[in-house]
C-alpha cells in the first residue's frame, strides 16, 4: 500500500503470517532491500530505478554475535533455537551460576514505544505464573537495545523435533500423544484461570523434558 510516498506491507490476519527480513509482522514500512516472505514466496523490495540492494543480514545471524557477551546478569552461551520473534541461547546467571534459556528478541521489536510497552505488559503478566506444565519466566529486561527473557531451561526437545524424529513413519505412540495433550490442557486451563490467553500454540512451543517426559508449554508472550 502506498501512503504519502512510503510503501507499507500489511498482514491481513493470515494463518501462517507474513515475514519481513525473517520477522513476523502485522504492518511494516518497507526499506530498500527488505525481503518479504509469504508462504514459500519471497519478494525483494527495490524502489523504481534500483536494480539491486544489499540484502539485510538475517536477524538470527546478528543475534548470534551476542555469544560470550552479558545480557543483564546473564552470560550468553551457545545458540539453542531460532524462532519467529528472536533467538534462544543457553546462558548462565553470573551471580548464582544458574543455567537458563535466554530468549533475545529481534532488535526491530524494541524500536517503538508501543512495542516496548507491550513487552513490559506481557512480562508483568507472565512473571507471576507458576505451573508444572508452563515454562517459568525467571527475569526480563533490556540491554544493548535488545529485549531479553530468562526462562527455565528444559533439557529435552520440542514436540516439533520429536515429531520429525519419530513421528513421520507412524511410530509416535498414541499414549505419549495423549499425555502431551493432557499436559498442555492443564497449562492452558491454569493460564485461563489467570486471565491469560495463549495465542501461539505450536509444536515448536511445546517442550518435552527428557528425564520424565513431561510436556511444558512456552512462549506465553
Amino acid at each position: 500500500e502506498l501512503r504519502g510516498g512510503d510503501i507499507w506491507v500489511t498482514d491481513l490476519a493470515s494463518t501462517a503470517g507474513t515475514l519481513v527480513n525473517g520477522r513476523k509482522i502485522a504492518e511494516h514500512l518497507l526499506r530498500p532491500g527488505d525481503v518479504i516472505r509469504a508462504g514459500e514466496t519471497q519478494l525483494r523490495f527495490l524502489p523504481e530505478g534500483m536494480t539491486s540492494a544489499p540484502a539485510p543480514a538475517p536477524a538470527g545471524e546478528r543475534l548470534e554475535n551476542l555469544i560470550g557477551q552479558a545480557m543483564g546478569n546473564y552470560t550468553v552461551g551457545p545458540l539453542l533455537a531460532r524462532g519467529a520473534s528472536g533467538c534462544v541461547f543457553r546462558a548462565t546467571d553470573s551471580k548464582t551460576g544458574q543455567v537458563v534459556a535466554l530468549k533475545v528478541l529481534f532488535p526491530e521489536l524494541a524500536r517503538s514505544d508501543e512495542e516496548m510497552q507491550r513487552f513490559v505488559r506481557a512480562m508483568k503478566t507472565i512473571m507471576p505464573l507458576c505451573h508444572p506444565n508452563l515454562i517459568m519466566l525467571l527475569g526480563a529486561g533490556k540491554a544493548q537495545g535488545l529485549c531479553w527473557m530468562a526462562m527455565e531451561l528444559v533439557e529435552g526437545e520440542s514436540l516439533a523435533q520429536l515429531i520429525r524424529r519419530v513421528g513421520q513413519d507412524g511410530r509416535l505412540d498414541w499414549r505419549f500423544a495423549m499425555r502431551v495433550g493432557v499436559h498442555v490442557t492443564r497449562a492452558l486451563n491454569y493460564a485461563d484461570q489467570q486471565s491469560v490467553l495463549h495465542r501461539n500454540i505450536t509444536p515448536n512451543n511445546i517442550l518435552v523434558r527428557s528425564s520424565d517426559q513431561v510436556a511444558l508449554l512456552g512462549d506465553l508472550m
Side-chain angles (χ1 to χ4, degrees):
E1 181 180 12
L2 180 64
R3 301 181 194 168
D6 293 326
I7 303 293
W8 290 78
V9 59
T10 304
D11 180 74
L12 301 178
S14 63
T15 301
T18 301
L19 285 76
V20 177
N21 303 331
R23 181 176 69 88
K24 188 175 289 189
I25 58 96
E27 188 175 69
H28 181 83
L29 170 62
L30 289 173
R31 297 177 176 84
D34 280 353
V35 176
I36 307 164
R37 181 177 181 128
E40 296 302 315
T41 301
Q42 293 191 79
L43 304 171
R44 171 72 55 78
F45 173 62
L46 296 177
E48 187 176 1
M50 292 185 66
T51 58
S52 64
E61 291 183 9
R62 295 199 301 270
L63 292 183
E64 284 183 8
N65 295 331
L66 294 172
I67 295 174
Q69 299 186 37
M71 296 291 287
N73 296 329
Y74 299 94
T75 302
V76 181
L79 178 69
L80 298 178
R82 293 185 183 88
S85 59
C87 292
V88 180
F89 302 86
R90 182 184 293 267
T92 305
D93 189 325
S94 57
K95 293 183 177 180
T96 66
Q98 181 182 12
V99 180
V100 303
L102 188 75
K103 183 170 185 177
V104 182
L105 303 183
F106 293 142
E108 292 84 356
L109 298 179
R111 287 178 180 167
S112 72
D113 290 339
E114 181 182 352
E115 290 290 349
M116 279 305 304
Q117 290 171 10
R118 180 172 176 267
F119 176 76
V120 171
R121 287 197 304 269
M123 294 302 99
K124 287 182 177 179
T125 301
I126 298 169
M127 193 76 73
L129 300 184
C130 182
H131 187 274
N133 299 114
L134 281 178
I135 297 176
M136 184 178 295
L137 180 66
L138 304 173
K142 184 178 180 181
Q144 303 183 40
L146 300 168
C147 295
W148 58 267
M149 295 170 282
M151 302 170 291
E152 168 190 5
L153 179 65
V154 179
E155 298 286 3
E157 57 186 339
S158 72
L159 187 59
Q161 292 171 319
L162 195 148
I163 290 171
R164 285 195 296 268
R165 182 169 59 82
V166 301
Q168 290 181 338
D169 59 358
R171 291 189 292 117
L172 193 62
D173 185 78
W174 69 267
R175 287 162 293 195
F176 170 81
M178 184 175 180
R179 185 167 63 248
V180 169
V182 169
H183 292 176
V184 172
T185 301
R186 288 173 178 168
L188 291 173
N189 184 55
Y190 168 77
D192 180 66
Q193 292 171 358
Q194 312 304 314
S195 300
V196 173
L197 177 66
H198 198 302
R199 300 177 61 189
N200 192 28
I201 304 169
T202 70
N204 283 315
N205 291 331
I206 299 170
L207 300 184
V208 180
R209 192 161 51 211
S210 300
S211 60
D212 54 12
Q213 296 296 290
V214 169
L216 294 93
L217 179 63
D219 199 23
L220 275 167
M221 184 179 175

